[in-house]
Amino acid sequence: MSDPLIRIEGIAKRFTARDATISTVFEDVHLSVEQGEFVCLIGHSGCGKTTILNVLAGLEPASDGYVFVAGREIRGPSLDRAVIFQSHALMPWLTVLGNIAFAVTSRWPEWDPQRVRQHCQKYIDLVNLTGAEKKRPAELSGGMKQRVGIARALAIQPKMLLMDEPFSALDALTRGMLQEEALRICAETRQTVFMITHDVDEAILLADKIVLMTNGPGARIAEIVVNTLPRGRSHNTIHKEPHYYPIRNHLVDFLLSRSKQFNESVPAGYDPKHPPLVTPGLEREIPVAAQTVATPRPAEKAVVVNLRH
């Protein structure tokens, strides 16, 4: 079996306060992401989700541990890792084409203008912005700006795409449309994605695996939920899948109760180096060598959870 594309080995993040006390945001975090996987990370505010993403991006160092991408340790930012932020982060004086071309020429400075333009056009077409090439950000809707950000990130052909709640600032209709666009694009490109989200339903729609973080301080990965719903999911049909509500209820139950209780009472046999893989809705868990496998809880009545405080 080939090595995973991303390997996180025991990372931690600590801060020293003015009174010299040390605060541990998260610790002993271990995770592997395979080539082509879409992984979502969910947890309450303060558990260090965005900090983990920043460590993966090389934007800040971990206090302990190591992160490897394609066998190489991360020691700073790289064009092999593209980040899509909550805001579009476009340069307002450049057009759609110009924003994407800026990233492309940074990746391949030896390319001539025609090749850059043709390459950019491929990704403009991919995100359905054909015809908007000459528009500036002020002329675009919020959803179109995020499409430009996605096209810019994909155009440099990164090994890993990092997404920090990229759809959270959009209205519900635009958000749903872009979520399904993201599914289509990732299916076409086989892009490896690591995404932060507060939205349980977004995670179920997009992710192959959903990583659950305990509450901070001292947060850890409690378990990894394998999404057993078939690929090709959509908002119109996902709720009809037999595993949808068991998965959703399992996630909500964790966020409302078990995430708070985990650090106070760590489950017997828990090993942070091998977080358990769970498959809510299936009769048996996935057999994973050398991993403790948690038993999914029975499906409960679905409730709405809001993680923003």
Side-chain angles (χ1 to χ4, degrees), residues 53-54 59 83-89 146 152 162-167:
L53 184 139
N54 287 340
L59 298 176
V83 184
I84 301 175
F85 299 98
Q86 294 180 33
S87 61
H88 54 80
Q146 280 300 70
R152 179 178 59 186
L162 302 167
M163 305 174 76
D164 188 4
E165 297 190 75
F167 312 127

Side-chain angles (χ1 to χ4, degrees), residues 35-209:
Q35 175 72 47
E37 272 191 326
F38 198 125
V39 175
C40 280
L41 180 64
I42 287 185
H44 285 273
S45 297
C47 70
K49 300 184 300 298
T50 296
T51 303
I52 291 175
L53 184 139
N54 287 340
V55 171
L56 287 171
L59 298 176
E60 62 179 289
S63 302
D64 283 326
Y66 306 92
V67 180
F68 300 90
V69 175
R72 300 183 63 179
E73 184 181 353
I74 290 177
R75 293 185 176 274
S78 166
L79 290 172
D80 284 337
R81 286 164 268 127
V83 184
I84 301 175
F85 299 98
Q86 294 180 33
S87 61
H88 54 80
L90 301 179
M91 289 172 280
W93 61 90
L94 294 180
T95 63
V96 168
L97 180 62
N99 269 281
I100 300 171
F102 182 85
V104 172
T105 53
S106 298
R107 177 77 172 190
W108 297 286
E110 72 280 6
W111 283 11
D112 61 70
Q114 182 178 358
R115 186 175 182 183
V116 170
R117 187 163 52 252
Q118 290 175 345
H119 185 82
C120 293
Q121 190 64 52
K122 171 185 174 182
Y123 290 92
I124 290 171
D125 296 342
L126 183 66
V127 299
N128 291 326
L129 281 177
T130 309
E133 293 85 351
K134 296 182 180 180
K135 292 185 177 181
R136 287 182 168 79
E139 303 174 86
L140 304 176
S141 68
M144 293 173 75
K145 292 173 185 176
Q146 280 300 70
R147 286 173 188 263
V148 178
I150 293 171
R152 179 178 59 186
L154 293 174
I156 64 172
Q157 298 178 349
K159 293 178 181 176
M160 175 171 57
L161 183 61
L162 302 167
M163 305 174 76
D164 188 4
E165 297 190 75
F167 312 127
S168 61
L170 304 173
D171 65 88
L173 289 177
T174 304
R175 182 167 61 248
M177 180 176 61
L178 283 185
Q179 287 167 349
E180 296 198 0
E181 284 288 296
L183 270 181
R184 175 185 62 81
I185 291 168
C186 290
E188 290 181 15
T189 61
R190 291 294 297 161
Q191 179 67 57
T192 305
V193 181
F194 182 88
M195 177 174 167
I196 305 299
T197 182
H198 278 95
D199 189 332
V200 166
D201 293 306
E202 180 175 71
I204 297 173
L205 178 70
L206 297 176
D208 300 309
K209 292 179 181 175

Side-chain angles (χ1 to χ4, degrees), residues 224-291:
I224 301 171
V225 176
V226 179
N227 193 344
T228 55
L229 302 182
R231 290 202 175 193
R233 300 181 282 273
S234 74
H235 285 289
N236 293 333
T237 60
I238 191 172
H239 64 283
K240 299 177 183 178
E241 297 291 342
H243 297 161
Y244 171 74
Y245 282 107
I247 293 172
R248 189 180 193 279
N249 294 338
H250 183 89
L251 297 177
V252 171
D253 176 61
F254 176 84
L255 293 169
L256 291 181
S257 60
R258 291 187 291 126
S259 63
K260 304 172 185 177
Q261 302 164 1
F262 190 95
N263 290 340
E264 299 172 1
S265 179
V266 177
Y270 170 78
D271 180 1
K273 293 183 179 180
H274 304 286
L277 294 180
V278 298
T279 55
L282 296 186
E283 292 182 0
R284 294 186 301 172
E285 301 298 330
I286 291 179
V288 182
Q291 290 202 0

